[in-house]
Amino acid sequence: MELLFIVLFGVAAGIGAHYALPWRGTHGILLTPAVGGVAAAIVWVGLTWLGWAWDGGWIWAVTIVSATVVAAVVDITLGRARKTGDQRRLVALGG
């Protein structure tokens, strides 16, 4: 049950990253929230396997912060790459 909640928090963090950062027009609306949810699930399961208690506060904090950072980094990296690629393509097409 906690995994479901943490994935939802990761999706919410991804939505926040999507709307807080520029370049939201360079990729789909579901990409960053999906990355946040997947990152949250992976971090949560990894920390659980390492023996962190699911009812402790640190596992929640580390997982949510990690999901937010991963979603933001993916959003920034993808946005910059897409903008650069679009500019290169425009120059190649003679525009």
Side-chain angles (χ1 to χ4, degrees):
M1 188 60 140
E2 289 78 17
L3 183 59
L4 174 65
F5 290 138
I6 205 65
V7 169
L8 290 175
F9 282 129
V11 168
I15 290 171
H18 178 76
Y19 287 108
L21 297 171
W23 306 296
R24 58 182 155 263
T26 61
H27 50 77
I29 192 169
L30 295 178
L31 179 66
T32 310
V35 168
V38 170
I42 290 171
V43 170
W44 180 271
V45 170
L47 293 176
T48 303
W49 283 348
L50 289 174
W52 289 35
W54 58 267
D55 58 349
W58 282 110
I59 190 170
W60 290 88
V62 169
T63 302
I64 293 170
V65 168
S66 298
T68 304
V69 168
V70 168
V73 167
V74 167
D75 188 87
I76 291 168
T77 304
L78 185 62
R80 285 181 181 168
R82 180 69 186 264
K83 185 177 177 182
T84 304
D86 287 352
Q87 288 174 347
R88 251 189 268 138
R89 176 66 64 153
L90 184 61
V91 169
L93 293 173

